[in-house]
């Protein structure tokens, strides 16, 4: 499994607008082959929102980034003043997973 994390610093006063952008895109990635889950994390401590996606493999993620659905989801870029700095993109391979059993 692959996890991507995009850490995005949002300028003060733009938090609600940033969150609404994701509300409008809700479900845009859900039907992509290999997609597992998407999480938008709001900072409680720290300065970055984190957008995490979980994929069966790297190829599935890369297919999403080349898809028409991806292009549509990113067609209306946010104003530059929304950001307090550069985003940081990371990709990780899950090598161990522990979950609470029901």
């Amino acid at each position: 499994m692959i996890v991507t994390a995009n850490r995005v610093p949002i300028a003060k006063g733009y938090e609600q607008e940033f969150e609404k952008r994701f509300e409008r895109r809700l479900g845009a990635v859900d039907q992509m082959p290999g997609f597992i889950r998407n999480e938008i994390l709001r900072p409680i401590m720290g300065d970055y929102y984190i957008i995490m996606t979980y994929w069966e493999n790297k190829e599935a993620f890369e297919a999403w980034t080349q898809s028409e659905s991806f292009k549509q989801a990113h067609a209306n870029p946010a104003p530059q003043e929304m950001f307090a700095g550069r985003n940081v993109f990371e990709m990780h391979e899950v090598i161990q997973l522990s979950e609470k059993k029901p």
Side-chain angles (χ1 to χ4, degrees), residues 47-65:
D47 300 322
Y48 292 89
Y49 276 77
I50 303 176
I51 297 92
M52 296 180 68
T53 56
Y54 297 75
W55 299 89
E56 290 177 4
N57 52 50
K58 182 179 176 186
E59 293 76 21
F61 170 75
E62 289 172 345
W64 153 246
T65 65

Side-chain angles (χ1 to χ4, degrees), residues 18-42:
F18 180 77
E19 292 176 22
K20 287 194 182 304
R21 293 179 66 79
F22 282 94
E23 287 176 20
R24 290 190 292 269
R25 291 196 230 174
L26 191 63
V29 66
D30 295 9
Q31 300 307 312
M32 289 297 299
F35 173 78
I36 298 171
R37 174 169 89 231
N38 186 40
E39 298 173 350
I40 311 299
L41 308 178
R42 178 189 299 138

Side-chain angles (χ1 to χ4, degrees), residues 85-96:
R86 293 183 163 263
N87 69 308
V88 176
F89 177 81
E90 300 173 341
M91 181 183 293
H92 302 273
E93 180 179 12
V94 176
I95 60 170
Q96 185 174 1

Side-chain angles (χ1 to χ4, degrees), residues 18 37 44 56 69 82 101:
F18 180 77
R37 174 169 89 231
I44 294 173
E56 290 177 4
S69 184
M82 179 180 285
K101 304 219 186 287

